[in-house]
Amino acid sequence: MKVSEHVSYKEVTKSNTAIRKGIENIPSGEQMENIKLLCENVFEPLRKHVDGPIAINSLFRSLKLNIAIGGAASSQHCANNGAA
């Protein structure tokens, strides 16, 4: 499943920690819409600007995953409010 032209759902939700700890890392409907906006408005233009692929190594974290890795309570990884 694609989130935008060049970004896959798997890329957005992949987390080795989530896999290792058995934590579901699934965005809500609202989070998914915000992720799509982020990908379309930031990552796709960035890809055009660099004229090639970009690597996304951490985009979304469920609250449970964020706690497990010791992420900040205000982490954009969890909020996904469209801000980069």
Side-chain angles (χ1 to χ4, degrees), residues 50-78:
V50 300
D51 195 28
I54 59 169
I56 300 170
N57 62 10
S58 181
L59 197 155
F60 174 77
R61 289 184 202 142
S62 66
L63 181 57
K64 188 173 182 178
L65 176 58
N66 195 57
I67 291 168
I69 66 162
S74 60
S75 174
Q76 287 296 314
H77 289 93
C78 296

mmCIF file with all atom_site columns, all heavy atoms in Angstrom, residues 50-78:
data_model
loop_
_atom_site.group_PDB
_atom_site.id
_atom_site.type_symbol
_atom_site.label_atom_id
_atom_site.label_alt_id
_atom_site.label_comp_id
_atom_site.label_asym_id
_atom_site.label_entity_id
_atom_site.label_seq_id
_atom_site.pdbx_PDB_ins_code
_atom_site.Cartn_x
_atom_site.Cartn_y
_atom_site.Cartn_z
_atom_site.occupancy
_atom_site.B_iso_or_equiv
_atom_site.pdbx_formal_charge
_atom_site.auth_seq_id
_atom_site.auth_comp_id
_atom_site.auth_asym_id
_atom_site.auth_atom_id
_atom_site.pdbx_PDB_model_num
ATOM 1   N N   . VAL A 1 50 ? 16.084 16.678 -4.577  1.00 0.00 ? 50 VAL A N   1
ATOM 2   C CA  . VAL A 1 50 ? 17.363 15.964 -4.621  1.00 0.00 ? 50 VAL A CA  1
ATOM 3   C C   . VAL A 1 50 ? 17.483 15.085 -5.862  1.00 0.00 ? 50 VAL A C   1
ATOM 4   O O   . VAL A 1 50 ? 18.517 14.472 -6.090  1.00 0.00 ? 50 VAL A O   1
ATOM 5   C CB  . VAL A 1 50 ? 17.627 15.121 -3.344  1.00 0.00 ? 50 VAL A CB  1
ATOM 6   C CG1 . VAL A 1 50 ? 17.649 16.018 -2.122  1.00 0.00 ? 50 VAL A CG1 1
ATOM 7   C CG2 . VAL A 1 50 ? 16.626 13.996 -3.186  1.00 0.00 ? 50 VAL A CG2 1
ATOM 8   N N   . ASP A 1 51 ? 16.408 15.036 -6.641  1.00 0.00 ? 51 ASP A N   1
ATOM 9   C CA  . ASP A 1 51 ? 16.372 14.283 -7.894  1.00 0.00 ? 51 ASP A CA  1
ATOM 10  C C   . ASP A 1 51 ? 16.709 12.809 -7.686  1.00 0.00 ? 51 ASP A C   1
ATOM 11  O O   . ASP A 1 51 ? 17.514 12.226 -8.399  1.00 0.00 ? 51 ASP A O   1
ATOM 12  C CB  . ASP A 1 51 ? 17.318 14.915 -8.921  1.00 0.00 ? 51 ASP A CB  1
ATOM 13  C CG  . ASP A 1 51 ? 17.045 14.394 -10.331 1.00 0.00 ? 51 ASP A CG  1
ATOM 14  O OD1 . ASP A 1 51 ? 15.890 14.003 -10.626 1.00 0.00 ? 51 ASP A OD1 1
ATOM 15  O OD2 . ASP A 1 51 ? 17.992 14.384 -11.148 1.00 0.00 ? 51 ASP A OD2 1
ATOM 16  N N   . GLY A 1 52 ? 16.096 12.229 -6.649  1.00 0.00 ? 52 GLY A N   1
ATOM 17  C CA  . GLY A 1 52 ? 16.315 10.816 -6.392  1.00 0.00 ? 52 GLY A CA  1
ATOM 18  C C   . GLY A 1 52 ? 15.632 10.381 -5.112  1.00 0.00 ? 52 GLY A C   1
ATOM 19  O O   . GLY A 1 52 ? 14.966 11.160 -4.449  1.00 0.00 ? 52 GLY A O   1
ATOM 20  N N   . PRO A 1 53 ? 15.808 9.126  -4.757  1.00 0.00 ? 53 PRO A N   1
ATOM 21  C CA  . PRO A 1 53 ? 15.161 8.600  -3.561  1.00 0.00 ? 53 PRO A CA  1
ATOM 22  C C   . PRO A 1 53 ? 15.698 9.217  -2.276  1.00 0.00 ? 53 PRO A C   1
ATOM 23  O O   . PRO A 1 53 ? 16.829 9.702  -2.226  1.00 0.00 ? 53 PRO A O   1
ATOM 24  C CB  . PRO A 1 53 ? 15.460 7.108  -3.600  1.00 0.00 ? 53 PRO A CB  1
ATOM 25  C CG  . PRO A 1 53 ? 16.410 6.883  -4.699  1.00 0.00 ? 53 PRO A CG  1
ATOM 26  C CD  . PRO A 1 53 ? 16.571 8.132  -5.476  1.00 0.00 ? 53 PRO A CD  1
ATOM 27  N N   . ILE A 1 54 ? 14.869 9.197  -1.254  1.00 0.00 ? 54 ILE A N   1
ATOM 28  C CA  . ILE A 1 54 ? 15.271 9.611  0.087   1.00 0.00 ? 54 ILE A CA  1
ATOM 29  C C   . ILE A 1 54 ? 14.991 8.443  1.023   1.00 0.00 ? 54 ILE A C   1
ATOM 30  O O   . ILE A 1 54 ? 14.140 7.602  0.737   1.00 0.00 ? 54 ILE A O   1
ATOM 31  C CB  . ILE A 1 54 ? 14.537 10.876 0.565   1.00 0.00 ? 54 ILE A CB  1
ATOM 32  C CG1 . ILE A 1 54 ? 13.021 10.653 0.582   1.00 0.00 ? 54 ILE A CG1 1
ATOM 33  C CG2 . ILE A 1 54 ? 14.891 12.076 -0.289  1.00 0.00 ? 54 ILE A CG2 1
ATOM 34  C CD1 . ILE A 1 54 ? 12.233 11.732 1.278   1.00 0.00 ? 54 ILE A CD1 1
ATOM 35  N N   . ALA A 1 55 ? 15.701 8.381  2.118   1.00 0.00 ? 55 ALA A N   1
ATOM 36  C CA  . ALA A 1 55 ? 15.495 7.311  3.093   1.00 0.00 ? 55 ALA A CA  1
ATOM 37  C C   . ALA A 1 55 ? 14.698 7.863  4.280   1.00 0.00 ? 55 ALA A C   1
ATOM 38  O O   . ALA A 1 55 ? 15.053 8.892  4.839   1.00 0.00 ? 55 ALA A O   1
ATOM 39  C CB  . ALA A 1 55 ? 16.822 6.768  3.573   1.00 0.00 ? 55 ALA A CB  1
ATOM 40  N N   . ILE A 1 56 ? 13.637 7.170  4.617   1.00 0.00 ? 56 ILE A N   1
ATOM 41  C CA  . ILE A 1 56 ? 12.840 7.516  5.795   1.00 0.00 ? 56 ILE A CA  1
ATOM 42  C C   . ILE A 1 56 ? 13.093 6.413  6.801   1.00 0.00 ? 56 ILE A C   1
ATOM 43  O O   . ILE A 1 56 ? 12.720 5.265  6.582   1.00 0.00 ? 56 ILE A O   1
ATOM 44  C CB  . ILE A 1 56 ? 11.339 7.597  5.438   1.00 0.00 ? 56 ILE A CB  1
ATOM 45  C CG1 . ILE A 1 56 ? 11.110 8.660  4.370   1.00 0.00 ? 56 ILE A CG1 1
ATOM 46  C CG2 . ILE A 1 56 ? 10.519 7.872  6.695   1.00 0.00 ? 56 ILE A CG2 1
ATOM 47  C CD1 . ILE A 1 56 ? 9.714  8.651  3.785   1.00 0.00 ? 56 ILE A CD1 1
ATOM 48  N N   . ASN A 1 57 ? 13.742 6.761  7.909   1.00 0.00 ? 57 ASN A N   1
ATOM 49  C CA  . ASN A 1 57 ? 14.065 5.701  8.857   1.00 0.00 ? 57 ASN A CA  1
ATOM 50  C C   . ASN A 1 57 ? 13.216 5.746  10.127  1.00 0.00 ? 57 ASN A C   1
ATOM 51  O O   . ASN A 1 57 ? 13.322 4.854  10.962  1.00 0.00 ? 57 ASN A O   1
ATOM 52  C CB  . ASN A 1 57 ? 15.559 5.682  9.194   1.00 0.00 ? 57 ASN A CB  1
ATOM 53  C CG  . ASN A 1 57 ? 16.026 6.953  9.847   1.00 0.00 ? 57 ASN A CG  1
ATOM 54  O OD1 . ASN A 1 57 ? 15.232 7.793  10.221  1.00 0.00 ? 57 ASN A OD1 1
ATOM 55  N ND2 . ASN A 1 57 ? 17.324 7.119  9.962   1.00 0.00 ? 57 ASN A ND2 1
ATOM 56  N N   . SER A 1 58 ? 12.397 6.757  10.301  1.00 0.00 ? 58 SER A N   1
ATOM 57  C CA  . SER A 1 58 ? 11.514 6.824  11.455  1.00 0.00 ? 58 SER A CA  1
ATOM 58  C C   . SER A 1 58 ? 10.468 7.893  11.215  1.00 0.00 ? 58 SER A C   1
ATOM 59  O O   . SER A 1 58 ? 10.767 9.075  11.258  1.00 0.00 ? 58 SER A O   1
ATOM 60  C CB  . SER A 1 58 ? 12.309 7.141  12.723  1.00 0.00 ? 58 SER A CB  1
ATOM 61  O OG  . SER A 1 58 ? 11.464 7.184  13.844  1.00 0.00 ? 58 SER A OG  1
ATOM 62  N N   . LEU A 1 59 ? 9.236  7.465  10.950  1.00 0.00 ? 59 LEU A N   1
ATOM 63  C CA  . LEU A 1 59 ? 8.187  8.447  10.697  1.00 0.00 ? 59 LEU A CA  1
ATOM 64  C C   . LEU A 1 59 ? 7.076  8.350  11.731  1.00 0.00 ? 59 LEU A C   1
ATOM 65  O O   . LEU A 1 59 ? 6.726  9.334  12.350  1.00 0.00 ? 59 LEU A O   1
ATOM 66  C CB  . LEU A 1 59 ? 7.613  8.257  9.289   1.00 0.00 ? 59 LEU A CB  1
ATOM 67  C CG  . LEU A 1 59 ? 6.811  9.427  8.743   1.00 0.00 ? 59 LEU A CG  1
ATOM 68  C CD1 . LEU A 1 59 ? 6.822  9.423  7.237   1.00 0.00 ? 59 LEU A CD1 1
ATOM 69  C CD2 . LEU A 1 59 ? 5.415  9.484  9.259   1.00 0.00 ? 59 LEU A CD2 1
ATOM 70  N N   . PHE A 1 60 ? 6.524  7.170  11.963  1.00 0.00 ? 60 PHE A N   1
ATOM 71  C CA  . PHE A 1 60 ? 5.409  7.018  12.898  1.00 0.00 ? 60 PHE A CA  1
ATOM 72  C C   . PHE A 1 60 ? 5.776  6.092  14.048  1.00 0.00 ? 60 PHE A C   1
ATOM 73  O O   . PHE A 1 60 ? 6.442  5.080  13.853  1.00 0.00 ? 60 PHE A O   1
ATOM 74  C CB  . PHE A 1 60 ? 4.179  6.437  12.184  1.00 0.00 ? 60 PHE A CB  1
ATOM 75  C CG  . PHE A 1 60 ? 3.062  6.125  13.142  1.00 0.00 ? 60 PHE A CG  1
ATOM 76  C CD1 . PHE A 1 60 ? 2.272  7.135  13.653  1.00 0.00 ? 60 PHE A CD1 1
ATOM 77  C CD2 . PHE A 1 60 ? 2.825  4.829  13.554  1.00 0.00 ? 60 PHE A CD2 1
ATOM 78  C CE1 . PHE A 1 60 ? 1.260  6.855  14.562  1.00 0.00 ? 60 PHE A CE1 1
ATOM 79  C CE2 . PHE A 1 60 ? 1.823  4.532  14.455  1.00 0.00 ? 60 PHE A CE2 1
ATOM 80  C CZ  . PHE A 1 60 ? 1.036  5.548  14.963  1.00 0.00 ? 60 PHE A CZ  1
ATOM 81  N N   . ARG A 1 61 ? 5.331  6.472  15.248  1.00 0.00 ? 61 ARG A N   1
ATOM 82  C CA  . ARG A 1 61 ? 5.426  5.595  16.421  1.00 0.00 ? 61 ARG A CA  1
ATOM 83  C C   . ARG A 1 61 ? 4.087  5.617  17.149  1.00 0.00 ? 61 ARG A C   1
ATOM 84  O O   . ARG A 1 61 ? 3.566  6.696  17.444  1.00 0.00 ? 61 ARG A O   1
ATOM 85  C CB  . ARG A 1 61 ? 6.471  6.087  17.418  1.00 0.00 ? 61 ARG A CB  1
ATOM 86  C CG  . ARG A 1 61 ? 7.882  5.954  16.996  1.00 0.00 ? 61 ARG A CG  1
ATOM 87  C CD  . ARG A 1 61 ? 8.784  6.398  18.154  1.00 0.00 ? 61 ARG A CD  1
ATOM 88  N NE  . ARG A 1 61 ? 10.081 6.783  17.644  1.00 0.00 ? 61 ARG A NE  1
ATOM 89  C CZ  . ARG A 1 61 ? 10.788 7.795  18.109  1.00 0.00 ? 61 ARG A CZ  1
ATOM 90  N NH1 . ARG A 1 61 ? 10.344 8.518  19.119  1.00 0.00 ? 61 ARG A NH1 1
ATOM 91  N NH2 . ARG A 1 61 ? 11.953 8.076  17.592  1.00 0.00 ? 61 ARG A NH2 1
ATOM 92  N N   . SER A 1 62 ? 3.566  4.452  17.455  1.00 0.00 ? 62 SER A N   1
ATOM 93  C CA  . SER A 1 62 ? 2.393  4.389  18.322  1.00 0.00 ? 62 SER A CA  1
ATOM 94  C C   . SER A 1 62 ? 2.828  4.874  19.706  1.00 0.00 ? 62 SER A C   1
ATOM 95  O O   . SER A 1 62 ? 4.019  4.882  20.029  1.00 0.00 ? 62 SER A O   1
ATOM 96  C CB  . SER A 1 62 ? 1.866  2.957  18.408  1.00 0.00 ? 62 SER A CB  1
ATOM 97  O OG  . SER A 1 62 ? 2.806  2.122  19.052  1.00 0.00 ? 62 SER A OG  1
ATOM 98  N N   . LEU A 1 63 ? 1.878  5.275  20.520  1.00 0.00 ? 63 LEU A N   1
ATOM 99  C CA  . LEU A 1 63 ? 2.202  5.748  21.863  1.00 0.00 ? 63 LEU A CA  1
ATOM 100 C C   . LEU A 1 63 ? 2.954  4.673  22.640  1.00 0.00 ? 63 LEU A C   1
ATOM 101 O O   . LEU A 1 63 ? 3.966  4.946  23.302  1.00 0.00 ? 63 LEU A O   1
ATOM 102 C CB  . LEU A 1 63 ? 0.930  6.162  22.604  1.00 0.00 ? 63 LEU A CB  1
ATOM 103 C CG  . LEU A 1 63 ? 1.122  6.699  24.020  1.00 0.00 ? 63 LEU A CG  1
ATOM 104 C CD1 . LEU A 1 63 ? 2.053  7.903  24.036  1.00 0.00 ? 63 LEU A CD1 1
ATOM 105 C CD2 . LEU A 1 63 ? -0.223 7.052  24.639  1.00 0.00 ? 63 LEU A CD2 1
ATOM 106 N N   . LYS A 1 64 ? 2.498  3.435  22.547  1.00 0.00 ? 64 LYS A N   1
ATOM 107 C CA  . LYS A 1 64 ? 3.147  2.326  23.260  1.00 0.00 ? 64 LYS A CA  1
ATOM 108 C C   . LYS A 1 64 ? 4.597  2.149  22.797  1.00 0.00 ? 64 LYS A C   1
ATOM 109 O O   . LYS A 1 64 ? 5.496  1.942  23.612  1.00 0.00 ? 64 LYS A O   1
ATOM 110 C CB  . LYS A 1 64 ? 2.348  1.041  23.053  1.00 0.00 ? 64 LYS A CB  1
ATOM 111 C CG  . LYS A 1 64 ? 2.825  -0.109 23.892  1.00 0.00 ? 64 LYS A CG  1
ATOM 112 C CD  . LYS A 1 64 ? 1.897  -1.300 23.778  1.00 0.00 ? 64 LYS A CD  1
ATOM 113 C CE  . LYS A 1 64 ? 2.358  -2.440 24.659  1.00 0.00 ? 64 LYS A CE  1
ATOM 114 N NZ  . LYS A 1 64 ? 1.454  -3.591 24.608  1.00 0.00 ? 64 LYS A NZ  1
ATOM 115 N N   . LEU A 1 65 ? 4.835  2.250  21.495  1.00 0.00 ? 65 LEU A N   1
ATOM 116 C CA  . LEU A 1 65 ? 6.194  2.129  20.963  1.00 0.00 ? 65 LEU A CA  1
ATOM 117 C C   . LEU A 1 65 ? 7.048  3.302  21.425  1.00 0.00 ? 65 LEU A C   1
ATOM 118 O O   . LEU A 1 65 ? 8.193  3.125  21.821  1.00 0.00 ? 65 LEU A O   1
ATOM 119 C CB  . LEU A 1 65 ? 6.171  2.052  19.436  1.00 0.00 ? 65 LEU A CB  1
ATOM 120 C CG  . LEU A 1 65 ? 7.522  2.025  18.747  1.00 0.00 ? 65 LEU A CG  1
ATOM 121 C CD1 . LEU A 1 65 ? 8.377  0.852  19.223  1.00 0.00 ? 65 LEU A CD1 1
ATOM 122 C CD2 . LEU A 1 65 ? 7.349  1.992  17.234  1.00 0.00 ? 65 LEU A CD2 1
ATOM 123 N N   . ASN A 1 66 ? 6.496  4.511  21.402  1.00 0.00 ? 66 ASN A N   1
ATOM 124 C CA  . ASN A 1 66 ? 7.242  5.686  21.824  1.00 0.00 ? 66 ASN A CA  1
ATOM 125 C C   . ASN A 1 66 ? 7.683  5.560  23.281  1.00 0.00 ? 66 ASN A C   1
ATOM 126 O O   . ASN A 1 66 ? 8.822  5.875  23.623  1.00 0.00 ? 66 ASN A O   1
ATOM 127 C CB  . ASN A 1 66 ? 6.410  6.953  21.623  1.00 0.00 ? 66 ASN A CB  1
ATOM 128 C CG  . ASN A 1 66 ? 7.253  8.202  21.691  1.00 0.00 ? 66 ASN A CG  1
ATOM 129 O OD1 . ASN A 1 66 ? 8.209  8.365  20.950  1.00 0.00 ? 66 ASN A OD1 1
ATOM 130 N ND2 . ASN A 1 66 ? 6.886  9.096  22.593  1.00 0.00 ? 66 ASN A ND2 1
ATOM 131 N N   . ILE A 1 67 ? 6.792  5.059  24.116  1.00 0.00 ? 67 ILE A N   1
ATOM 132 C CA  . ILE A 1 67 ? 7.134  4.840  25.532  1.00 0.00 ? 67 ILE A CA  1
ATOM 133 C C   . ILE A 1 67 ? 8.229  3.789  25.646  1.00 0.00 ? 67 ILE A C   1
ATOM 134 O O   . ILE A 1 67 ? 9.186  3.954  26.400  1.00 0.00 ? 67 ILE A O   1
ATOM 135 C CB  . ILE A 1 67 ? 5.875  4.451  26.339  1.00 0.00 ? 67 ILE A CB  1
ATOM 136 C CG1 . ILE A 1 67 ? 4.939  5.659  26.440  1.00 0.00 ? 67 ILE A CG1 1
ATOM 137 C CG2 . ILE A 1 67 ? 6.254  3.925  27.718  1.00 0.00 ? 67 ILE A CG2 1
ATOM 138 C CD1 . ILE A 1 67 ? 3.545  5.331  26.953  1.00 0.00 ? 67 ILE A CD1 1
ATOM 139 N N   . ALA A 1 68 ? 8.113  2.719  24.864  1.00 0.00 ? 68 ALA A N   1
ATOM 140 C CA  . ALA A 1 68 ? 9.085  1.618  24.925  1.00 0.00 ? 68 ALA A CA  1
ATOM 141 C C   . ALA A 1 68 ? 10.500 2.066  24.564  1.00 0.00 ? 68 ALA A C   1
ATOM 142 O O   . ALA A 1 68 ? 11.477 1.538  25.094  1.00 0.00 ? 68 ALA A O   1
ATOM 143 C CB  . ALA A 1 68 ? 8.646  0.473  24.011  1.00 0.00 ? 68 ALA A CB  1
ATOM 144 N N   . ILE A 1 69 ? 10.613 3.036  23.663  1.00 0.00 ? 69 ILE A N   1
ATOM 145 C CA  . ILE A 1 69 ? 11.951 3.489  23.264  1.00 0.00 ? 69 ILE A CA  1
ATOM 146 C C   . ILE A 1 69 ? 12.410 4.715  24.049  1.00 0.00 ? 69 ILE A C   1
ATOM 147 O O   . ILE A 1 69 ? 13.496 5.223  23.822  1.00 0.00 ? 69 ILE A O   1
ATOM 148 C CB  . ILE A 1 69 ? 12.053 3.752  21.750  1.00 0.00 ? 69 ILE A CB  1
ATOM 149 C CG1 . ILE A 1 69 ? 11.183 4.926  21.338  1.00 0.00 ? 69 ILE A CG1 1
ATOM 150 C CG2 . ILE A 1 69 ? 11.729 2.542  20.940  1.00 0.00 ? 69 ILE A CG2 1
ATOM 151 C CD1 . ILE A 1 69 ? 11.571 5.501  20.000  1.00 0.00 ? 69 ILE A CD1 1
ATOM 152 N N   . GLY A 1 70 ? 11.556 5.198  24.951  1.00 0.00 ? 70 GLY A N   1
ATOM 153 C CA  . GLY A 1 70 ? 11.918 6.367  25.749  1.00 0.00 ? 70 GLY A CA  1
ATOM 154 C C   . GLY A 1 70 ? 11.813 7.668  24.988  1.00 0.00 ? 70 GLY A C   1
ATOM 155 O O   . GLY A 1 70 ? 12.528 8.627  25.283  1.00 0.00 ? 70 GLY A O   1
ATOM 156 N N   . GLY A 1 71 ? 10.906 7.726  24.004  1.00 0.00 ? 71 GLY A N   1
ATOM 157 C CA  . GLY A 1 71 ? 10.704 8.946  23.219  1.00 0.00 ? 71 GLY A CA  1
ATOM 158 C C   . GLY A 1 71 ? 10.044 10.044 24.021  1.00 0.00 ? 71 GLY A C   1
ATOM 159 O O   . GLY A 1 71 ? 9.380  9.793  25.027  1.00 0.00 ? 71 GLY A O   1
ATOM 160 N N   . ALA A 1 72 ? 10.206 11.269 23.582  1.00 0.00 ? 72 ALA A N   1
ATOM 161 C CA  . ALA A 1 72 ? 9.602  12.424 24.255  1.00 0.00 ? 72 ALA A CA  1
ATOM 162 C C   . ALA A 1 72 ? 8.081  12.348 24.163  1.00 0.00 ? 72 ALA A C   1
ATOM 163 O O   . ALA A 1 72 ? 7.528  11.924 23.141  1.00 0.00 ? 72 ALA A O   1
ATOM 164 C CB  . ALA A 1 72 ? 10.089 13.716 23.606  1.00 0.00 ? 72 ALA A CB  1
ATOM 165 N N   . ALA A 1 73 ? 7.413  12.774 25.220  1.00 0.00 ? 73 ALA A N   1
ATOM 166 C CA  . ALA A 1 73 ? 5.943  12.751 25.252  1.00 0.00 ? 73 ALA A CA  1
ATOM 167 C C   . ALA A 1 73 ? 5.357  13.621 24.142  1.00 0.00 ? 73 ALA A C   1
ATOM 168 O O   . ALA A 1 73 ? 4.265  13.343 23.642  1.00 0.00 ? 73 ALA A O   1
ATOM 169 C CB  . ALA A 1 73 ? 5.440  13.220 26.608  1.00 0.00 ? 73 ALA A CB  1
ATOM 170 N N   . SER A 1 74 ? 6.080  14.644 23.722  1.00 0.00 ? 74 SER A N   1
ATOM 171 C CA  . SER A 1 74 ? 5.591  15.550 22.680  1.00 0.00 ? 74 SER A CA  1
ATOM 172 C C   . SER A 1 74 ? 6.139  15.200 21.294  1.00 0.00 ? 74 SER A C   1
ATOM 173 O O   . SER A 1 74 ? 6.074  16.013 20.375  1.00 0.00 ? 74 SER A O   1
ATOM 174 C CB  . SER A 1 74 ? 5.972  16.986 23.031  1.00 0.00 ? 74 SER A CB  1
ATOM 175 O OG  . SER A 1 74 ? 7.386  17.094 23.122  1.00 0.00 ? 74 SER A OG  1
ATOM 176 N N   . SER A 1 75 ? 6.648  13.987 21.124  1.00 0.00 ? 75 SER A N   1
ATOM 177 C CA  . SER A 1 75 ? 7.273  13.568 19.874  1.00 0.00 ? 75 SER A CA  1
ATOM 178 C C   . SER A 1 75 ? 6.347  13.705 18.670  1.00 0.00 ? 75 SER A C   1
ATOM 179 O O   . SER A 1 75 ? 5.196  13.278 18.711  1.00 0.00 ? 75 SER A O   1
ATOM 180 C CB  . SER A 1 75 ? 7.722  12.105 19.981  1.00 0.00 ? 75 SER A CB  1
ATOM 181 O OG  . SER A 1 75 ? 8.190  11.645 18.742  1.00 0.00 ? 75 SER A OG  1
ATOM 182 N N   . GLN A 1 76 ? 6.851  14.293 17.603  1.00 0.00 ? 76 GLN A N   1
ATOM 183 C CA  . GLN A 1 76 ? 6.091  14.380 16.352  1.00 0.00 ? 76 GLN A CA  1
ATOM 184 C C   . GLN A 1 76 ? 5.868  12.999 15.754  1.00 0.00 ? 76 GLN A C   1
ATOM 185 O O   . GLN A 1 76 ? 4.977  12.805 14.940  1.00 0.00 ? 76 GLN A O   1
ATOM 186 C CB  . GLN A 1 76 ? 6.819  15.283 15.343  1.00 0.00 ? 76 GLN A CB  1
ATOM 187 C CG  . GLN A 1 76 ? 6.748  16.739 15.672  1.00 0.00 ? 76 GLN A CG  1
ATOM 188 C CD  . GLN A 1 76 ? 5.334  17.271 15.620  1.00 0.00 ? 76 GLN A CD  1
ATOM 189 O OE1 . GLN A 1 76 ? 4.588  16.995 14.690  1.00 0.00 ? 76 GLN A OE1 1
ATOM 190 N NE2 . GLN A 1 76 ? 4.949  18.002 16.644  1.00 0.00 ? 76 GLN A NE2 1
ATOM 191 N N   . HIS A 1 77 ? 6.675  12.024 16.133  1.00 0.00 ? 77 HIS A N   1
ATOM 192 C CA  . HIS A 1 77 ? 6.488  10.665 15.660  1.00 0.00 ? 77 HIS A CA  1
ATOM 193 C C   . HIS A 1 77 ? 5.101  10.152 16.052  1.00 0.00 ? 77 HIS A C   1
ATOM 194 O O   . HIS A 1 77 ? 4.499  9.349  15.337  1.00 0.00 ? 77 HIS A O   1
ATOM 195 C CB  . HIS A 1 77 ? 7.536  9.717  16.250  1.00 0.00 ? 77 HIS A CB  1
ATOM 196 C CG  . HIS A 1 77 ? 8.903  9.922  15.723  1.00 0.00 ? 77 HIS A CG  1
ATOM 197 N ND1 . HIS A 1 77 ? 9.823  10.731 16.329  1.00 0.00 ? 77 HIS A ND1 1
ATOM 198 C CD2 . HIS A 1 77 ? 9.522  9.393  14.642  1.00 0.00 ? 77 HIS A CD2 1
ATOM 199 C CE1 . HIS A 1 77 ? 10.949 10.719 15.637  1.00 0.00 ? 77 HIS A CE1 1
ATOM 200 N NE2 . HIS A 1 77 ? 10.793 9.911  14.612  1.00 0.00 ? 77 HIS A NE2 1
ATOM 201 N N   . CYS A 1 78 ? 4.601  10.598 17.199  1.00 0.00 ? 78 CYS A N   1
ATOM 202 C CA  . CYS A 1 78 ? 3.286  10.149 17.678  1.00 0.00 ? 78 CYS A CA  1
ATOM 203 C C   . CYS A 1 78 ? 2.179  11.084 17.212  1.00 0.00 ? 78 CYS A C   1
ATOM 204 O O   . CYS A 1 78 ? 1.081  10.634 16.881  1.00 0.00 ? 78 CYS A O   1
ATOM 205 C CB  . CYS A 1 78 ? 3.259  10.106 19.200  1.00 0.00 ? 78 CYS A CB  1
ATOM 206 S SG  . CYS A 1 78 ? 4.397  8.920  19.902  1.00 0.00 ? 78 CYS A SG  1
#
